[in-house]
Amino acid sequence: MKKILILLVGIAFVFGCASREVSRVSADKQTDFSGRWNDTDSKLTAESMIEQSLSAPWLEDYKQANSGKKPVVIVGDIGLKNSTEHINTQTFIKDMQKVLINSGKVKFVASSSERGDLRVERKEQQEHASMETAKRLAAETGADFMLMGDISVILDEYDGQQAKFYQIDLQLINIESNEITWIGDKKIKKLIGKDSHSW
């Protein structure tokens, strides 16, 4: 009996000390283990939708009406609808900001939360920085357009298999007139098979 107990403790120790093998891969490598929204979905969706937006007529219409001036854009709220899945919409917003800025076709201003921090800094500069270096108040660049939208998730599940459908809807709104100048969507469907392990 004592030998069996020692053997069981030894087995438990071996399994308790076992570790997973971890390897580094390129951050650009597409991985999808869970079927949930991930960094690849965020990046590819941002690239696709911003490309859609920048190739739509609103951009040239604005430039023609404003002597070739680039429009100023801000990304507003991206909501999450019909989902118990946590999706980091801030990462998606940052991905869209990056694509917009790097396109060189628009100017971009900070988000409302970032502007709050900047306004505090400017006010403090009025009191603590030299007159030569203090930044002016009320000299912000106002945005012409706001990009906002929703991510909706629909899950179909049966007998251990899942089909997960994401629909991303975005619209670009003229801040002064409230006119919707562009609307676009992207759909992602993922089929998730049964777990191959059985215990």
Side-chain angles (χ1 to χ4, degrees), residues 114-124 137 140:
E114 293 165 333
R115 288 197 308 270
D117 291 341
L118 293 165
R119 286 169 183 160
V120 168
E121 173 61 23
R122 277 194 298 274
K123 285 180 181 174
E124 289 188 357
L137 297 174
E140 296 180 16

Side-chain angles (χ1 to χ4, degrees), residues 173-189:
I173 302 172
N174 184 305
I175 291 176
E176 187 169 70
S177 67
N178 289 339
E179 176 189 0
I180 298 174
T181 57
W182 170 80
I183 190 163
D185 66 72
K186 181 172 174 62
K187 299 173 175 68
I188 299 170
K189 193 167 194 176

Side-chain angles (χ1 to χ4, degrees), residues 50-72:
I50 297 305
E51 184 180 330
Q52 280 182 48
S53 170
L54 294 177
S55 61
W58 73 271
L59 181 57
E60 282 307 313
D61 290 348
Y62 179 87
K63 288 168 73 176
Q64 285 180 13
N66 292 274
S67 306
K69 187 178 95 169
K70 294 178 184 178
V72 180

Side-chain angles (χ1 to χ4, degrees), residues 42-51 53-54 71-78 88-115 118 143 145-148 170 172:
S42 179
K43 179 177 180 291
L44 294 179
T45 301
E47 289 172 353
S48 170
M49 297 200 76
I50 297 305
E51 184 180 330
S53 170
L54 294 177
V72 180
V73 178
I74 186 170
V75 176
D77 186 45
I78 303 295
N88 187 342
T89 56
Q90 289 304 308
T91 301
F92 180 49
I93 288 170
K94 286 294 181 189
D95 283 339
M96 287 193 294
Q97 288 175 335
K98 181 171 65 176
V99 179
L100 276 167
I101 292 167
N102 291 342
S103 74
K105 295 181 178 179
V106 299
K107 291 183 178 180
F108 205 83
V109 290
S111 68
S112 56
S113 60
E114 293 165 333
R115 288 197 308 270
L118 293 165
F145 297 92
M146 179 177 283
L147 186 65
M148 52 200 314
L170 295 179
L172 189 71

Side-chain angles (χ1 to χ4, degrees), residues 141-175:
T141 299
D144 301 302
F145 297 92
M146 179 177 283
L147 186 65
M148 52 200 314
D150 296 294
I151 301 174
S152 301
V153 186
I154 299 170
L155 178 65
D156 187 16
E157 193 169 13
Y158 178 73
D159 193 27
Q161 297 189 66
Q162 293 181 339
K164 195 172 278 191
F165 177 78
Y166 297 90
Q167 178 158 328
I168 304 89
D169 295 295
L170 295 179
Q171 53 189 8
L172 189 71
I173 302 172
N174 184 305
I175 291 176

Side-chain angles (χ1 to χ4, degrees), residues 34-38 41 80 82-88 153 155 164 166 190:
S34 67
R36 295 188 196 96
W37 177 271
N38 60 29
D41 298 318
L80 183 59
N82 310 325
S83 177
T84 55
E85 178 181 337
H86 173 71
I87 293 178
N88 187 342
V153 186
L155 178 65
K164 195 172 278 191
Y166 297 90
K190 298 185 179 187

